[in-house]
PDB file of all heavy atoms in Angstrom:
ATOM      1  N   SER A 103      -1.516  -3.954  -0.130  1.00 96.00           N
ATOM      2  CA  SER A 103      -1.846  -3.206   1.135  1.00 96.00           C
ATOM      3  C   SER A 103      -2.276  -4.194   2.233  1.00 96.00           C
ATOM      4  O   SER A 103      -3.205  -4.976   1.984  1.00 96.00           O
ATOM      5  CB  SER A 103      -2.917  -2.196   0.791  1.00 96.00           C
ATOM      6  OG  SER A 103      -3.407  -1.561   2.001  1.00 96.00           O
ATOM      7  N   LYS A 104      -1.633  -4.067   3.371  1.00 97.00           N
ATOM      8  CA  LYS A 104      -1.983  -4.926   4.527  1.00 97.00           C
ATOM      9  C   LYS A 104      -2.349  -4.022   5.687  1.00 97.00           C
ATOM     10  O   LYS A 104      -1.695  -3.050   5.970  1.00 97.00           O
ATOM     11  CB  LYS A 104      -0.790  -5.775   4.907  1.00 97.00           C
ATOM     12  CG  LYS A 104      -0.346  -6.756   3.834  1.00 97.00           C
ATOM     13  CD  LYS A 104       0.988  -7.442   4.241  1.00 97.00           C
ATOM     14  CE  LYS A 104       2.150  -6.483   4.177  1.00 97.00           C
ATOM     15  NZ  LYS A 104       3.457  -7.097   4.644  1.00 97.00           N
ATOM     16  N   GLN A 105      -3.467  -4.428   6.343  1.00 97.00           N
ATOM     17  CA  GLN A 105      -3.851  -3.659   7.529  1.00 97.00           C
ATOM     18  C   GLN A 105      -4.064  -4.592   8.667  1.00 97.00           C
ATOM     19  O   GLN A 105      -4.737  -5.665   8.511  1.00 97.00           O
ATOM     20  CB  GLN A 105      -5.109  -2.829   7.290  1.00 97.00           C
ATOM     21  CG  GLN A 105      -4.966  -1.799   6.218  1.00 97.00           C
ATOM     22  CD  GLN A 105      -6.210  -0.917   6.129  1.00 97.00           C
ATOM     23  OE1 GLN A 105      -6.827  -0.544   7.097  1.00 97.00           O
ATOM     24  NE2 GLN A 105      -6.617  -0.561   4.885  1.00 97.00           N
ATOM     25  N   TYR A 106      -3.548  -4.286   9.832  1.00 98.00           N
ATOM     26  CA  TYR A 106      -3.648  -5.127  11.006  1.00 98.00           C
ATOM     27  C   TYR A 106      -4.367  -4.399  12.142  1.00 98.00           C
ATOM     28  O   TYR A 106      -4.264  -3.190  12.176  1.00 98.00           O
ATOM     29  CB  TYR A 106      -2.243  -5.538  11.501  1.00 98.00           C
ATOM     30  CG  TYR A 106      -1.458  -6.453  10.647  1.00 98.00           C
ATOM     31  CD1 TYR A 106      -0.906  -5.983   9.427  1.00 98.00           C
ATOM     32  CD2 TYR A 106      -1.276  -7.781  10.968  1.00 98.00           C
ATOM     33  CE1 TYR A 106      -0.134  -6.807   8.602  1.00 98.00           C
ATOM     34  CE2 TYR A 106      -0.517  -8.623  10.168  1.00 98.00           C
ATOM     35  CZ  TYR A 106       0.010  -8.143   9.008  1.00 98.00           C
ATOM     36  OH  TYR A 106       0.716  -8.947   8.173  1.00 98.00           O
ATOM     37  N   LEU A 107      -5.017  -5.116  13.002  1.00 98.00           N
ATOM     38  CA  LEU A 107      -5.599  -4.613  14.161  1.00 98.00           C
ATOM     39  C   LEU A 107      -4.912  -5.150  15.423  1.00 98.00           C
ATOM     40  O   LEU A 107      -4.581  -6.347  15.457  1.00 98.00           O
ATOM     41  CB  LEU A 107      -7.092  -4.968  14.298  1.00 98.00           C
ATOM     42  CG  LEU A 107      -8.019  -4.519  13.072  1.00 98.00           C
ATOM     43  CD1 LEU A 107      -9.437  -5.010  13.304  1.00 98.00           C
ATOM     44  CD2 LEU A 107      -7.928  -3.012  12.985  1.00 98.00           C
ATOM     45  N   LYS A 117      -0.779   8.908  19.290  1.00 94.00           N
ATOM     46  CA  LYS A 117      -2.034   8.149  18.874  1.00 94.00           C
ATOM     47  C   LYS A 117      -2.062   7.798  17.435  1.00 94.00           C
ATOM     48  O   LYS A 117      -2.859   6.998  17.046  1.00 94.00           O
ATOM     49  CB  LYS A 117      -3.252   8.919  19.289  1.00 94.00           C
ATOM     50  CG  LYS A 117      -3.376   9.145  20.880  1.00 94.00           C
ATOM     51  CD  LYS A 117      -4.617   9.870  21.223  1.00 94.00           C
ATOM     52  CE  LYS A 117      -4.665  10.059  22.772  1.00 94.00           C
ATOM     53  NZ  LYS A 117      -5.831  10.889  23.180  1.00 94.00           N
ATOM     54  N   GLN A 118      -1.249   8.381  16.681  1.00 95.00           N
ATOM     55  CA  GLN A 118      -1.100   7.997  15.208  1.00 95.00           C
ATOM     56  C   GLN A 118       0.139   8.545  14.675  1.00 95.00           C
ATOM     57  O   GLN A 118       0.865   9.358  15.329  1.00 95.00           O
ATOM     58  CB  GLN A 118      -2.233   8.528  14.424  1.00 95.00           C
ATOM     59  CG  GLN A 118      -2.289  10.089  14.214  1.00 95.00           C
ATOM     60  CD  GLN A 118      -3.475  10.483  13.312  1.00 95.00           C
ATOM     61  OE1 GLN A 118      -4.582  10.043  13.478  1.00 95.00           O
ATOM     62  NE2 GLN A 118      -3.126  11.391  12.433  1.00 95.00           N
ATOM     63  N   GLY A 119       0.571   8.037  13.517  1.00 97.00           N
ATOM     64  CA  GLY A 119       1.823   8.521  12.904  1.00 97.00           C
ATOM     65  C   GLY A 119       2.643   7.425  12.368  1.00 97.00           C
ATOM     66  O   GLY A 119       2.235   6.257  12.186  1.00 97.00           O
ATOM     67  N   TRP A 146       2.793   2.697   9.377  1.00 97.00           N
ATOM     68  CA  TRP A 146       1.926   3.816   9.744  1.00 97.00           C
ATOM     69  C   TRP A 146       0.824   3.207  10.573  1.00 97.00           C
ATOM     70  O   TRP A 146       0.363   2.154  10.373  1.00 97.00           O
ATOM     71  CB  TRP A 146       1.328   4.425   8.503  1.00 97.00           C
ATOM     72  CG  TRP A 146       0.402   5.585   8.822  1.00 97.00           C
ATOM     73  CD1 TRP A 146       0.782   6.880   8.979  1.00 97.00           C
ATOM     74  CD2 TRP A 146      -1.014   5.533   8.999  1.00 97.00           C
ATOM     75  NE1 TRP A 146      -0.373   7.711   9.199  1.00 97.00           N
ATOM     76  CE2 TRP A 146      -1.480   6.855   9.298  1.00 97.00           C
ATOM     77  CE3 TRP A 146      -1.952   4.513   9.018  1.00 97.00           C
ATOM     78  CZ2 TRP A 146      -2.825   7.148   9.556  1.00 97.00           C
ATOM     79  CZ3 TRP A 146      -3.274   4.765   9.281  1.00 97.00           C
ATOM     80  CH2 TRP A 146      -3.678   6.117   9.531  1.00 97.00           C
ATOM     81  N   PHE A 147       0.390   4.018  11.579  1.00 97.00           N
ATOM     82  CA  PHE A 147      -0.739   3.527  12.478  1.00 97.00           C
ATOM     83  C   PHE A 147      -1.631   4.706  12.873  1.00 97.00           C
ATOM     84  O   PHE A 147      -1.193   5.832  12.923  1.00 97.00           O
ATOM     85  CB  PHE A 147      -0.161   2.845  13.717  1.00 97.00           C
ATOM     86  CG  PHE A 147       0.333   3.794  14.772  1.00 97.00           C
ATOM     87  CD1 PHE A 147      -0.512   4.110  15.862  1.00 97.00           C
ATOM     88  CD2 PHE A 147       1.594   4.323  14.701  1.00 97.00           C
ATOM     89  CE1 PHE A 147      -0.101   5.021  16.840  1.00 97.00           C
ATOM     90  CE2 PHE A 147       2.023   5.252  15.697  1.00 97.00           C
ATOM     91  CZ  PHE A 147       1.212   5.597  16.761  1.00 97.00           C
ATOM     92  N   ASP A 148      -2.852   4.309  13.257  1.00 95.00           N
ATOM     93  CA  ASP A 148      -3.758   5.235  13.928  1.00 95.00           C
ATOM     94  C   ASP A 148      -4.414   4.361  15.004  1.00 95.00           C
ATOM     95  O   ASP A 148      -4.229   3.165  15.118  1.00 95.00           O
ATOM     96  CB  ASP A 148      -4.793   5.953  12.953  1.00 95.00           C
ATOM     97  CG  ASP A 148      -5.647   4.993  12.251  1.00 95.00           C
ATOM     98  OD1 ASP A 148      -5.503   3.771  12.349  1.00 95.00           O
ATOM     99  OD2 ASP A 148      -6.569   5.498  11.513  1.00 95.00           O
ATOM    100  N   SER A 149      -5.148   5.051  15.865  1.00 95.00           N
ATOM    101  CA  SER A 149      -5.825   4.322  16.998  1.00 95.00           C
ATOM    102  C   SER A 149      -7.115   4.950  17.429  1.00 95.00           C
ATOM    103  O   SER A 149      -7.403   6.101  17.065  1.00 95.00           O
ATOM    104  CB  SER A 149      -4.797   4.266  18.197  1.00 95.00           C
ATOM    105  OG  SER A 149      -4.517   5.544  18.623  1.00 95.00           O
ATOM    106  N   SER A 150      -7.812   4.181  18.176  1.00 93.00           N
ATOM    107  CA  SER A 150      -9.121   4.669  18.643  1.00 93.00           C
ATOM    108  C   SER A 150      -9.432   4.033  20.059  1.00 93.00           C
ATOM    109  O   SER A 150      -9.113   2.849  20.220  1.00 93.00           O
ATOM    110  CB  SER A 150     -10.224   4.281  17.667  1.00 93.00           C
ATOM    111  OG  SER A 150     -11.492   4.612  18.084  1.00 93.00           O
ATOM    112  N   PRO A 151      -9.976   4.759  20.955  1.00 94.00           N
ATOM    113  CA  PRO A 151     -10.252   4.087  22.232  1.00 94.00           C
ATOM    114  C   PRO A 151     -11.400   3.115  22.139  1.00 94.00           C
ATOM    115  O   PRO A 151     -12.407   3.269  21.373  1.00 94.00           O
ATOM    116  CB  PRO A 151     -10.720   5.319  23.120  1.00 94.00           C
ATOM    117  CG  PRO A 151     -11.236   6.336  22.199  1.00 94.00           C
ATOM    118  CD  PRO A 151     -10.321   6.218  20.961  1.00 94.00           C
ATOM    119  N   LEU A 158      -7.582   0.418  20.562  1.00 97.00           N
ATOM    120  CA  LEU A 158      -7.419  -0.300  19.352  1.00 97.00           C
ATOM    121  C   LEU A 158      -6.434   0.442  18.327  1.00 97.00           C
ATOM    122  O   LEU A 158      -6.522   1.674  18.242  1.00 97.00           O
ATOM    123  CB  LEU A 158      -8.809  -0.383  18.604  1.00 97.00           C
ATOM    124  CG  LEU A 158      -8.796  -0.973  17.157  1.00 97.00           C
ATOM    125  CD1 LEU A 158      -8.485  -2.412  17.120  1.00 97.00           C
ATOM    126  CD2 LEU A 158     -10.123  -0.667  16.484  1.00 97.00           C
ATOM    127  N   TYR A 159      -5.487  -0.317  17.807  1.00 97.00           N
ATOM    128  CA  TYR A 159      -4.552   0.227  16.846  1.00 97.00           C
ATOM    129  C   TYR A 159      -4.764  -0.457  15.506  1.00 97.00           C
ATOM    130  O   TYR A 159      -4.951  -1.653  15.344  1.00 97.00           O
ATOM    131  CB  TYR A 159      -3.143  -0.059  17.309  1.00 97.00           C
ATOM    132  CG  TYR A 159      -2.840   0.623  18.605  1.00 97.00           C
ATOM    133  CD1 TYR A 159      -3.250   0.140  19.866  1.00 97.00           C
ATOM    134  CD2 TYR A 159      -2.127   1.841  18.588  1.00 97.00           C
ATOM    135  CE1 TYR A 159      -2.912   0.813  21.046  1.00 97.00           C
ATOM    136  CE2 TYR A 159      -1.839   2.491  19.777  1.00 97.00           C
ATOM    137  CZ  TYR A 159      -2.228   1.960  20.996  1.00 97.00           C
ATOM    138  OH  TYR A 159      -1.997   2.634  22.125  1.00 97.00           O
ATOM    139  N   ARG A 160      -4.738   0.408  14.480  1.00 97.00           N
ATOM    140  CA  ARG A 160      -4.727  -0.080  13.091  1.00 97.00           C
ATOM    141  C   ARG A 160      -3.344   0.204  12.514  1.00 97.00           C
ATOM    142  O   ARG A 160      -2.942   1.333  12.523  1.00 97.00           O
ATOM    143  CB  ARG A 160      -5.807   0.529  12.215  1.00 97.00           C
ATOM    144  CG  ARG A 160      -5.668   0.061  10.758  1.00 97.00           C
ATOM    145  CD  ARG A 160      -6.554   0.722   9.776  1.00 97.00           C
ATOM    146  NE  ARG A 160      -6.651   2.130   9.915  1.00 97.00           N
ATOM    147  CZ  ARG A 160      -7.433   2.853   9.155  1.00 97.00           C
ATOM    148  NH1 ARG A 160      -8.221   2.290   8.247  1.00 97.00           N
ATOM    149  NH2 ARG A 160      -7.565   4.171   9.287  1.00 97.00           N
ATOM    150  N   ILE A 161      -2.678  -0.869  12.059  1.00 98.00           N
ATOM    151  CA  ILE A 161      -1.252  -0.648  11.527  1.00 98.00           C
ATOM    152  C   ILE A 161      -1.265  -1.003  10.016  1.00 98.00           C
ATOM    153  O   ILE A 161      -1.801  -2.060   9.583  1.00 98.00           O
ATOM    154  CB  ILE A 161      -0.350  -1.553  12.321  1.00 98.00           C
ATOM    155  CG1 ILE A 161      -0.539  -1.325  13.839  1.00 98.00           C
ATOM    156  CG2 ILE A 161       1.108  -1.255  11.943  1.00 98.00           C
ATOM    157  CD1 ILE A 161      -1.405  -2.340  14.522  1.00 98.00           C
ATOM    158  N   LYS A 162      -0.603  -0.115   9.328  1.00 97.00           N
ATOM    159  CA  LYS A 162      -0.320  -0.445   7.852  1.00 97.00           C
ATOM    160  C   LYS A 162       1.141  -0.565   7.671  1.00 97.00           C
ATOM    161  O   LYS A 162       1.776   0.525   7.391  1.00 97.00           O
ATOM    162  CB  LYS A 162      -0.981   0.724   7.035  1.00 97.00           C
ATOM    163  CG  LYS A 162      -2.466   0.854   7.161  1.00 97.00           C
ATOM    164  CD  LYS A 162      -2.984   2.022   6.246  1.00 97.00           C
ATOM    165  CE  LYS A 162      -4.414   2.194   6.377  1.00 97.00           C
ATOM    166  NZ  LYS A 162      -4.963   3.304   5.449  1.00 97.00           N
ATOM    167  N   TRP A 201      -6.262  -7.973   9.364  1.00 97.00           N
ATOM    168  CA  TRP A 201      -7.592  -7.650   9.145  1.00 97.00           C
ATOM    169  C   TRP A 201      -8.005  -7.383   7.704  1.00 97.00           C
ATOM    170  O   TRP A 201      -9.063  -7.796   7.245  1.00 97.00           O
ATOM    171  CB  TRP A 201      -7.850  -6.340   9.952  1.00 97.00           C
ATOM    172  CG  TRP A 201      -9.208  -5.707   9.796  1.00 97.00           C
ATOM    173  CD1 TRP A 201     -10.421  -6.277   9.971  1.00 97.00           C
ATOM    174  CD2 TRP A 201      -9.480  -4.362   9.422  1.00 97.00           C
ATOM    175  NE1 TRP A 201     -11.465  -5.364   9.753  1.00 97.00           N
ATOM    176  CE2 TRP A 201     -10.844  -4.116   9.451  1.00 97.00           C
ATOM    177  CE3 TRP A 201      -8.687  -3.262   9.120  1.00 97.00           C
ATOM    178  CZ2 TRP A 201     -11.469  -2.949   9.095  1.00 97.00           C
ATOM    179  CZ3 TRP A 201      -9.293  -2.059   8.815  1.00 97.00           C
ATOM    180  CH2 TRP A 201     -10.631  -1.908   8.811  1.00 97.00           C
ATOM    181  N   ARG A 202      -7.127  -6.769   6.882  1.00 97.00           N
ATOM    182  CA  ARG A 202      -7.498  -6.387   5.539  1.00 97.00           C
ATOM    183  C   ARG A 202      -6.344  -6.603   4.640  1.00 97.00           C
ATOM    184  O   ARG A 202      -5.177  -6.301   4.956  1.00 97.00           O
ATOM    185  CB  ARG A 202      -7.983  -4.956   5.535  1.00 97.00           C
ATOM    186  CG  ARG A 202      -8.614  -4.535   4.170  1.00 97.00           C
ATOM    187  CD  ARG A 202      -9.169  -3.109   4.304  1.00 97.00           C
ATOM    188  NE  ARG A 202      -9.923  -2.744   3.132  1.00 97.00           N
ATOM    189  CZ  ARG A 202     -10.516  -1.553   2.948  1.00 97.00           C
ATOM    190  NH1 ARG A 202     -10.493  -0.653   3.952  1.00 97.00           N
ATOM    191  NH2 ARG A 202     -11.169  -1.247   1.815  1.00 97.00           N
ATOM    192  N   GLN A 204      -5.363  -6.094   0.398  1.00 97.00           N
ATOM    193  CA  GLN A 204      -5.745  -5.526  -0.955  1.00 97.00           C
ATOM    194  C   GLN A 204      -4.571  -5.781  -1.899  1.00 97.00           C
ATOM    195  O   GLN A 204      -3.478  -5.449  -1.610  1.00 97.00           O
ATOM    196  CB  GLN A 204      -6.073  -4.034  -0.822  1.00 97.00           C
ATOM    197  CG  GLN A 204      -7.224  -3.681   0.072  1.00 97.00           C
ATOM    198  CD  GLN A 204      -7.268  -2.252   0.450  1.00 97.00           C
ATOM    199  OE1 GLN A 204      -6.529  -1.727   1.304  1.00 97.00           O
ATOM    200  NE2 GLN A 204      -8.226  -1.522  -0.187  1.00 97.00           N
ATOM    201  N   VAL A 215     -11.583  -8.425   3.731  1.00 95.00           N
ATOM    202  CA  VAL A 215     -11.678  -7.919   5.091  1.00 95.00           C
ATOM    203  C   VAL A 215     -12.115  -9.114   5.957  1.00 95.00           C
ATOM    204  O   VAL A 215     -13.062  -9.832   5.629  1.00 95.00           O
ATOM    205  CB  VAL A 215     -12.644  -6.743   5.244  1.00 95.00           C
ATOM    206  CG1 VAL A 215     -12.782  -6.361   6.684  1.00 95.00           C
ATOM    207  CG2 VAL A 215     -12.181  -5.612   4.380  1.00 95.00           C
ATOM    208  N   HIS A 230     -16.243  -3.281  17.794  1.00 88.00           N
ATOM    209  CA  HIS A 230     -16.794  -3.061  16.469  1.00 88.00           C
ATOM    210  C   HIS A 230     -17.062  -1.624  16.217  1.00 88.00           C
ATOM    211  O   HIS A 230     -16.974  -1.136  15.115  1.00 88.00           O
ATOM    212  CB  HIS A 230     -18.090  -3.966  16.266  1.00 88.00           C
ATOM    213  CG  HIS A 230     -17.827  -5.393  16.476  1.00 88.00           C
ATOM    214  ND1 HIS A 230     -17.087  -6.198  15.579  1.00 88.00           N
ATOM    215  CD2 HIS A 230     -18.072  -6.250  17.464  1.00 88.00           C
ATOM    216  CE1 HIS A 230     -17.037  -7.398  15.956  1.00 88.00           C
ATOM    217  NE2 HIS A 230     -17.638  -7.495  17.133  1.00 88.00           N
ATOM    218  N   THR A 231     -17.553  -0.903  17.274  1.00 89.00           N
ATOM    219  CA  THR A 231     -17.662   0.496  17.101  1.00 89.00           C
ATOM    220  C   THR A 231     -16.400   1.239  16.816  1.00 89.00           C
ATOM    221  O   THR A 231     -16.263   2.157  16.040  1.00 89.00           O
ATOM    222  CB  THR A 231     -18.308   1.111  18.465  1.00 89.00           C
ATOM    223  OG1 THR A 231     -19.571   0.403  18.663  1.00 89.00           O
ATOM    224  CG2 THR A 231     -18.603   2.542  18.345  1.00 89.00           C
ATOM    225  N   ALA A 232     -15.339   0.809  17.557  1.00 91.00           N
ATOM    226  CA  ALA A 232     -14.008   1.393  17.335  1.00 91.00           C
ATOM    227  C   ALA A 232     -13.449   1.148  15.954  1.00 91.00           C
ATOM    228  O   ALA A 232     -12.923   2.019  15.320  1.00 91.00           O
ATOM    229  CB  ALA A 232     -13.059   0.890  18.394  1.00 91.00           C
ATOM    230  N   ILE A 233     -13.678  -0.073  15.450  1.00 90.00           N
ATOM    231  CA  ILE A 233     -13.269  -0.444  14.083  1.00 90.00           C
ATOM    232  C   ILE A 233     -13.986   0.469  13.090  1.00 90.00           C
ATOM    233  O   ILE A 233     -13.443   0.939  12.145  1.00 90.00           O
ATOM    234  CB  ILE A 233     -13.423  -1.862  13.794  1.00 90.00           C
ATOM    235  CG1 ILE A 233     -12.465  -2.745  14.673  1.00 90.00           C
ATOM    236  CG2 ILE A 233     -13.227  -2.233  12.270  1.00 90.00           C
ATOM    237  CD1 ILE A 233     -12.689  -4.250  14.542  1.00 90.00           C
ATOM    238  N   ALA A 234     -15.301   0.620  13.279  1.00 86.00           N
ATOM    239  CA  ALA A 234     -16.104   1.333  12.396  1.00 86.00           C
ATOM    240  C   ALA A 234     -15.668   2.799  12.367  1.00 86.00           C
ATOM    241  O   ALA A 234     -15.899   3.553  11.396  1.00 86.00           O
ATOM    242  CB  ALA A 234     -17.587   1.255  12.717  1.00 86.00           C
ATOM    243  N   GLY A 235     -15.091   3.249  13.444  1.00 79.00           N
ATOM    244  CA  GLY A 235     -14.660   4.707  13.568  1.00 79.00           C
ATOM    245  C   GLY A 235     -13.394   4.987  12.890  1.00 79.00           C
ATOM    246  O   GLY A 235     -13.003   6.164  12.800  1.00 79.00           O
ATOM    247  N   LEU A 236     -12.685   3.971  12.466  1.00 78.00           N
ATOM    248  CA  LEU A 236     -11.384   4.187  11.755  1.00 78.00           C
ATOM    249  C   LEU A 236     -11.659   4.752  10.382  1.00 78.00           C
ATOM    250  O   LEU A 236     -12.534   4.247   9.666  1.00 78.00           O
ATOM    251  CB  LEU A 236     -10.595   2.858  11.664  1.00 78.00           C
ATOM    252  CG  LEU A 236     -10.104   2.224  13.006  1.00 78.00           C
ATOM    253  CD1 LEU A 236      -9.538   0.862  12.769  1.00 78.00           C
ATOM    254  CD2 LEU A 236      -9.114   3.106  13.702  1.00 78.00           C
ATOM    255  N   SER A 237     -10.937   5.755   9.955  1.00 64.00           N
ATOM    256  CA  SER A 237     -11.131   6.242   8.634  1.00 64.00           C
ATOM    257  C   SER A 237     -10.373   5.443   7.589  1.00 64.00           C
ATOM    258  O   SER A 237      -9.588   4.538   7.959  1.00 64.00           O
ATOM    259  CB  SER A 237     -10.484   7.673   8.546  1.00 64.00           C
ATOM    260  OG  SER A 237      -9.141   7.706   8.818  1.00 64.00           O
ATOM    261  N   GLU A 238     -10.693   5.586   6.332  1.00 57.00           N
ATOM    262  CA  GLU A 238      -9.999   4.806   5.297  1.00 57.00           C
ATOM    263  C   GLU A 238      -8.566   5.148   5.262  1.00 57.00           C
ATOM    264  O   GLU A 238      -7.708   4.390   4.901  1.00 57.00           O
ATOM    265  CB  GLU A 238     -10.661   5.137   3.926  1.00 57.00           C
ATOM    266  CG  GLU A 238     -12.017   4.486   3.710  1.00 57.00           C
ATOM    267  CD  GLU A 238     -11.913   2.945   3.601  1.00 57.00           C
ATOM    268  OE1 GLU A 238     -10.955   2.488   2.935  1.00 57.00           O
ATOM    269  OE2 GLU A 238     -12.756   2.274   4.197  1.00 57.00           O
TER     270      GLU A 238
END
Side-chain angles (χ1 to χ4, degrees):
S103 173
K104 298 172 288 180
Q105 297 187 40
Y106 292 74
L107 300 177
K117 295 178 180 178
Q118 67 177 46
W146 180 89
F147 78 96
D148 60 356
S149 64
S150 177
L158 170 70
Y159 295 80
R160 175 186 43 184
I161 309 96
K162 297 180 180 180
W201 174 56
R202 190 171 184 180
Q204 296 165 285
V215 176
H230 300 290
T231 302
I233 293 174
L236 296 170
S237 62
E238 283 292 319

